[in-house]
Amino acid sequence: MSGTSTVVPPRFPRPGHLVPRSGPSATLRPLSGHHHAVPGVSSTAAVPAPPAARIAPPPVGRHRIAPPLPDDRPRPKRKDGKRDLPPTAADAMRVTVLIPAHNEAKQITETIASLRGQERPPDQIVVIVDNCTDATAAFAQLCGVEIVGTRDNKHKKAGALNQVLDRLLPILGPDDAIMVMDADSALDPGFIRHGVSYLATGRYAAVGGTFTGKAGGGAVGMFQRNEYARYARDVRRLQGKALVLTGTATIFRATTLQEVVAARRDGRLPGPPHAYDVRVLTEDNELTLAILHLGFRILCPRECTLTTEVMPTWRQLARQRLRWKRGALENLVDYGWTPITRPYWGRQLLSLIGIIVITAYLASLAYSAIWLGGVKLIPLWAGVTVIFMIERVVSVRQRGALQMALASTIVVEMTFDVFLQMVQAHAFWQAAWRKERKW
């Protein structure tokens, strides 16, 4: 943070060191009596300084503090060849929420409020204040959550999470869950309750959410909301079998992340021995691949929903999507050709085919307009146009009659589709020529 006001760097208790807590959703008490100024809060206000990032381990008699399970411990498998985790009682699970935040003063209170309003509130909420120059820490502090400041973090969100997880994971047991969510997201009330119920069965190693876009952003915001609605529809049709556990909100069994760290340390997974790989552009996509390569299942159930921020300008959206698309491609290069990555490589091939098709389609329209004196679609392209229109209309119907009407005009939706194809082509080009990675 700017000036002389800093967030106390992480200092975690040793395994076995217990700190009393007052209840499942109570604010954690600062473990020291130090107070200092926080940007955005008057120095005369009676607001305590952010606590020294000491996260309480599970209480005595309820959870066993355990190290990661040995790699050679047998795991139950089902007919699909996937591994199960030990089942537990849903009401016995302890949920710790980690919210990495960089200059999120405008949205952090809404995010925390959505956690406070859960049907099954989390046991602990930790805001990871990462190189902030605004009042994120002050607003989070006024909401009564614990605050952790990063130290010399140069790896964005992944680095901020690793600084906490490196010290938190060794003191967690098999009944613990870690939820990671973006500071600009807001959960629907049943998210944690349903997510924990799925995790407790032992069948799933992690549960993610499907999201809709928040209001704002004008036309570019509208396109994103339509896109997110289509994504959620696709996930529901696949009965929650999503390809990615998105960073918007995902709950992990702590054992899952412990095994990821152990596998990276042993060289069975790429990346340094942390939960998140700081080398990549899309840390959530990479972590998904890591979990799947360990033989676990993931799920994005219809009950786990949330809203998230949309990019307000075309430039910001282009930067975001370029990072997503290039990052996903480079994640696949890291993992190579495996039974897990084959469907992902297939999606990349379909994206390449889509670029070729849309280029040929637009070229044929330009040729007709310039050389033939008017647009004259041949039957093939007329059929493509009709199929595109029907798909656009049907897939956005949950957004209402107005969006369906706009989709039927073709031109409106085609604008956004061409934009995405251009970004995808740029991502292919950057990856092929190994251009410098930019966040």
Side-chain angles (χ1 to χ4, degrees):
M1 302 179 71
S2 61
T4 59
S5 299
T6 59
V7 177
V8 181
R11 188 172 71 246
F12 289 80
R14 297 184 301 275
H17 174 67
L18 299 178
V19 180
R21 304 173 72 253
S22 58
S25 60
T27 303
L28 295 176
R29 294 186 297 103
L31 300 184
S32 67
H34 300 293
H35 296 72
H36 61 250
V38 177
V41 177
S42 169
S43 60
T44 61
V47 179
R54 302 175 70 179
I55 298 180
V60 172
R62 184 180 175 192
H63 299 278
R64 176 174 59 87
I65 299 174
L69 295 171
D71 295 334
D72 58 354
R73 176 169 174 170
R75 295 286 189 178
K77 289 188 177 182
R78 300 197 184 187
K79 293 182 179 180
D80 61 0
K82 300 294 185 179
R83 302 165 60 194
D84 287 351
L85 287 168
T88 186
D91 59 1
M93 293 193 71
R94 183 176 190 267
V95 180
T96 298
V97 179
L98 303 182
I99 309 173
H102 173 70
N103 291 342
E104 295 287 356
K106 294 181 179 179
Q107 312 218 48
I108 192 66
T109 55
E110 180 186 5
T111 300
I112 295 171
S114 76
L115 289 167
R116 298 293 195 200
Q118 288 293 293
E119 296 169 2
R120 195 284 195 193
D123 297 89
Q124 187 172 9
I125 303 172
V126 181
V127 174
I128 308 173
V129 181
D130 181 39
N131 299 316
C132 288
T133 57
D134 67 358
T136 298
F139 289 134
Q141 186 176 346
L142 291 172
C143 290
V145 301
E146 186 166 359
I147 302 170
V148 174
T150 58
R151 174 183 289 175
D152 302 324
N153 178 39
K154 299 179 181 179
H155 299 294
K156 305 290 185 180
K157 176 182 175 181
L161 286 165
N162 282 342
Q163 287 195 10
V164 174
L165 289 170
D166 285 351
R167 298 190 179 186
L168 180 60
L169 287 176
I171 64 174
L172 297 183
D175 293 340
D176 283 286
I178 297 290
M179 180 173 188
V180 176
M181 67 178 295
D182 285 343
D184 58 8
S185 296
L187 305 183
D188 291 333
F191 192 110
I192 293 181
R193 179 171 68 85
H194 290 290
V196 166
S197 68
Y198 281 105
L199 289 180
T201 65
R203 180 173 175 81
Y204 301 101
V207 172
T210 54
F211 46 88
T212 56
K214 293 183 179 179
V220 66
M222 177 197 72
F223 284 127
Q224 291 170 82
R225 286 186 287 276
N226 287 351
E227 180 188 25
Y228 293 164
R230 292 186 174 104
Y231 170 77
R233 175 178 178 269
D234 290 342
V235 172
R236 288 194 300 271
R237 292 178 66 190
L238 293 172
Q239 298 182 333
K241 297 178 181 179
L243 293 175
V244 180
L245 296 166
T246 69
T248 54
T250 296
I251 311 177
F252 305 89
R253 287 282 291 263
T255 304
T256 304
L257 297 181
Q258 289 168 347
E259 291 209 24
V260 168
V261 174
R264 294 196 199 279
R265 183 179 295 112
D266 296 342
R268 291 180 288 125
L269 291 175
H274 306 286
Y276 287 92
D277 189 346
V278 298
R279 306 169 305 137
V280 302
L281 291 172
T282 46
E283 69 287 330
D284 49 357
N285 184 73
E286 193 281 334
L287 182 57
T288 302
L289 291 176
I291 292 171
L292 293 175
H293 276 86
L294 289 177
F296 292 125
R297 302 179 194 84
I298 62 173
L299 187 71
C300 292
R302 65 170 58 242
E303 301 94 340
C304 294
T305 55
L306 66 147
T307 57
T308 193
E309 183 185 31
V310 297
M311 294 294 102
T313 67
W314 288 103
R315 180 182 295 274
Q316 289 174 290
L317 180 60
R319 290 183 59 185
Q320 180 197 61
R321 297 311 169 86
L322 180 61
R323 176 170 61 85
W324 287 2
K325 293 176 183 297
R326 181 178 174 183
L329 184 60
E330 292 179 345
N331 292 158
L332 293 180
V333 172
D334 282 345
Y335 279 87
W337 180 263
T338 71
I340 298 297
T341 60
R342 286 170 195 164
Y344 296 83
W345 280 114
R347 290 173 68 88
Q348 294 294 332
L349 176 60
L350 288 176
S351 295
L352 181 59
I353 293 174
I355 293 172
I356 295 172
V357 170
I358 197 70
T359 301
Y361 181 81
L362 295 177
S364 70
L365 291 179
Y367 176 81
S368 296
I370 296 173
W371 298 104
L372 302 180
V375 175
K376 299 178 181 179
L377 287 178
I378 61 175
L380 172 64
W381 293 125
V384 170
T385 302
V386 172
I387 292 173
F388 179 83
M389 180 189 69
I390 295 174
E391 188 276 333
R392 296 286 90 179
V393 171
V394 172
S395 61
V396 81
R397 61 182 178 181
Q398 73 175 67
R399 293 265 293 131
L402 176 60
Q403 297 303 321
M404 293 176 66
L406 289 174
S408 68
T409 64
I410 299 295
V411 176
V412 175
E413 288 284 344
M414 182 67 74
T415 301
F416 188 62
D417 197 60
V418 170
F419 168 82
L420 293 180
Q421 296 289 3
M422 291 173 62
V423 173
Q424 181 73 68
H426 193 188
F428 280 130
W429 182 82
Q430 281 195 348
W433 291 96
R434 300 181 181 275
K435 295 293 183 179
E436 180 184 359
R437 299 179 180 184
K438 295 182 180 179
W439 184 268

